[in-house]
Amino acid sequence: MTTPPYQPGYPQPGYPQGVSDKSKIVAGILGILLGTFGAGRFYTGHTKIAVLQLVVSVVTCGFGALWGVIDGILILVNGGTDAQGRPLRES
């Protein structure tokens, strides 16, 4: 058996359909400005990572905030996904 060719407009098995309603710019800015609190990850729906960012920042007396800043920059440069795996929208 062979896999049928890709057809635009039809969802492919194993891939989420569409683009997220969350903005890449908002997620990146939140990550840079409020990365200590995991705000960018809470915004995109990644609550486990957001809570982990918050705990690391508290345990390291604020030095863990660097994780949020780097995460925000990476989201702005490379994009990211929401909790359902859909790519964040550009605007």
Side-chain angles (χ1 to χ4, degrees):
M1 288 188 97
T2 61
T3 305
Y6 173 74
Q7 297 177 356
Y10 293 96
Q12 297 297 308
Y15 293 99
Q17 183 178 1
V19 177
S20 176
D21 58 340
K22 306 292 183 183
S23 170
K24 174 175 91 167
I25 296 171
V26 172
I29 300 274
L30 283 172
I32 291 171
L33 297 179
L34 299 171
T36 304
F37 308 109
R41 290 299 183 162
F42 276 120
Y43 173 73
T44 59
H46 296 103
T47 53
K48 290 179 184 178
I49 296 174
V51 170
L52 190 60
Q53 282 181 333
L54 179 61
V55 169
V56 167
S57 295
V58 169
V59 169
T60 62
C61 299
F63 289 111
L66 187 60
W67 178 12
V69 172
I70 293 170
D71 194 31
I73 292 170
L74 288 174
I75 288 173
L76 286 174
V77 172
N78 297 331
T81 60
D82 64 3
Q84 286 78 35
R86 300 174 297 180
L88 298 175
R89 64 182 166 84
E90 292 292 323
S91 59

